[in-house]
Amino acid sequence: MGALALALAGCSGGAEEAEGDDARLGEVDAEPAPAESEGAGSGGRDAGDDADDTLPALEVEVVAEGLTLPWDVQHLPDGTALVTERDGRLLALDGGEVREVALDIPDLFVGSESGLMGLALAPDGGTAYLCHATQSGGQPQDVRVTRWQLDEGATAAITDGVVVDGMPITSGRHGGCRLLLTDDALYVGTGDAADETNPQSLDSLGGKVLAVTPEGEPLADAPFVDGDPRIYTYGHRNVQGLASQPGSGTIWSVEHGSSVDDEVNRLEPGANYGWAPGAGYDESVPMTDTERFPDAVEAAWSSGDPTHATTGAVFLDGEQWGAWDGALATAELKGAGVTVLRVDGEQVVGEDRMAELEGAYGRLRSLTLADDGSLWVTTSNGEGDVVLRVTPRE
């Protein structure tokens, strides 16, 4: 598929705010590092990694351009890619054509980091799940997951009810909201709405990963905590990545962190991941506070300082990915690239960078693996955004 031009009207609010971390505004919006030449190697290879591991060289293709804050991309069975834009548009990328899918979210709230965000598609391609913020009387009301029916040809989406509502919102900061639909459940990664009480409260849906049926009901083996039965894990800050590990089906989350660190977590039902910023929303505390919560689960990977502003994630799958087959790829806003975490069972055993994406396209938001094994990536620069298709070179 060749490069596509798409001229769309500008979104509300202009350039994206710095993911809610006011103290990091200059860092997040800083110019990305210069791009390395294509095929120049992985960058970031750990010194302890096996020297004979061959990391794939990548081909990067722009499949849509001129977008405004594309947030998520998922594929229909016929290969058509659906893309959400944060200001409320749903787009279809189909065989060289980019078109808008008719969609009416009358109470959509767009502000700070919130708007139209996560997307999941049922296997038959006829049902879509959207995660978005709502307003009432001109004020933010909540973040919710709604279900939509797509017509034949995916030219329009008709509302089919609310799946989960009541996820907290304040200004729109830390709105989440990643969706992952598996054979067993619909998982929803939520943000804490920058409210210090939400992550540890088992009555709040903020700062959690939720697990529900496609109808929004608790799972058969719930409750996982002594609280809302839809809560799968808690003690999170702003979950923007969810990925199912090939083989085991274990769910991993990527958490957009504070100025201390970003985290990748292997989710255990009912577990506390230890985020508790305390009075005044103190972001100098660790993301996983094991002093206050001795049973809190330590992160599988932490960025440390400097942070990367991690967001979307997906497991790479297929022998064409070479040493990265089975690795977890994570997109980065401030880092303006992709970190690849090589995983052995439950452990992260190596860390690499995708050189061809390093600083080349600015802030990166979402990662999706298509049925053909290609990696689809959205940028999040506020204007002139693109969708990329990344494939290993043969």
Side-chain angles (χ1 to χ4, degrees):
M1 187 184 298
L4 305 175
L6 177 64
L8 295 177
C11 75
S12 62
E16 181 175 16
E17 290 186 24
E19 292 316 300
D21 295 303
D22 299 330
R24 295 195 292 159
L25 181 62
E27 295 179 332
V28 174
D29 286 343
E31 288 295 322
E36 298 183 34
S37 60
E38 220 171 274
S42 72
R45 173 189 279 273
D46 287 350
D49 293 340
D50 294 338
D52 59 352
D53 274 357
T54 302
L55 303 185
L58 305 176
E59 296 279 0
V60 181
E61 177 186 9
V62 177
V63 295
E65 57 188 358
L67 278 63
T68 304
L69 298 174
W71 213 96
D72 205 347
V73 55
Q74 299 293 331
H75 292 84
L76 294 169
D78 66 0
T80 299
L82 296 185
V83 181
T84 56
E85 282 189 315
R86 206 172 65 187
D87 65 358
R89 280 183 285 258
L90 179 64
L91 306 175
L93 282 58
D94 181 12
E97 176 190 3
V98 180
R99 53 183 169 77
E100 190 168 343
V101 179
L103 177 73
D104 181 22
I105 309 177
D107 298 322
L108 179 69
F109 171 78
V110 180
S112 186
E113 301 155 21
S114 295
L116 176 56
M117 297 173 284
L119 168 66
L121 296 173
D124 63 6
T127 302
Y129 298 86
L130 299 175
C131 194
H132 56 89
T134 71
Q135 60 182 317
S136 178
Q139 297 299 315
Q141 175 176 268
D142 69 358
V143 177
R144 59 180 58 184
V145 179
T146 52
R147 184 174 54 246
W148 301 75
Q149 295 302 318
L150 295 166
D151 67 356
E152 187 174 355
T155 64
I158 306 300
T159 184
D160 189 29
V162 176
V163 179
V164 178
D165 60 4
M167 291 179 277
I169 190 171
T170 49
S171 66
R173 187 182 180 206
H174 296 185
C177 178
R178 187 66 61 183
L179 300 180
L180 175 66
L181 183 63
T182 70
D183 293 339
D184 303 317
L186 174 65
Y187 295 91
V188 186
T190 80
D192 66 6
D195 182 326
E196 65 264 24
T197 66
N198 284 330
Q200 294 296 322
S201 170
L202 297 180
D203 295 319
S204 168
L205 301 183
K208 310 296 191 297
V209 174
L210 312 179
V212 297
T213 69
E215 291 72 39
E217 298 299 322
L219 300 185
D221 49 351
F224 305 104
V225 300
D226 185 17
D228 192 303
R230 296 170 294 179
I231 295 173
Y232 190 69
T233 58
Y234 66 105
H236 300 286
R237 181 177 182 271
N238 196 15
V239 177
Q240 292 203 1
L242 289 172
S244 178
Q245 188 172 9
S248 70
T250 300
I251 307 302
W252 294 59
S253 72
V254 175
E255 195 161 343
H256 190 112
S258 64
S259 57
V260 177
D261 55 6
D262 302 300
E263 286 189 350
V264 170
N265 289 300
R266 180 181 176 275
L267 299 187
E268 303 173 14
N272 180 5
Y273 287 82
W275 172 243
Y281 204 76
D282 178 8
E283 301 201 59
S284 67
V285 301
M287 285 285 288
T288 303
D289 192 338
T290 54
E291 289 190 8
R292 292 182 61 188
F293 308 102
D295 294 333
V297 178
E298 294 276 12
W301 174 89
S302 297
S303 67
D305 188 11
T307 55
H308 301 196
T310 49
T311 174
V314 73
F315 277 94
L316 304 176
D317 192 19
E319 62 182 15
Q320 72 272 22
W321 289 101
W324 289 345
D325 185 11
L328 180 67
T330 65
E332 299 172 357
L333 296 167
K334 187 176 73 172
V338 172
T339 290
V340 180
L341 302 176
R342 282 183 277 171
V343 177
D344 183 4
E346 301 178 2
Q347 304 295 321
V348 174
V349 296
E351 178 181 338
D352 305 305
R353 302 283 292 178
M354 287 189 176
E356 294 83 355
L357 296 178
E358 193 75 13
Y361 298 94
R363 295 154 58 88
L364 304 183
R365 167 71 66 183
S366 72
L367 301 178
T368 305
L369 206 66
D371 287 343
D372 64 2
S374 60
L375 178 67
W376 288 56
V377 185
T378 67
T379 70
S380 191
N381 297 309
E383 60 183 7
D385 283 310
V386 301
V387 178
L388 307 171
R389 180 176 183 268
V390 180
T391 54
R393 291 179 181 174
E394 296 181 0

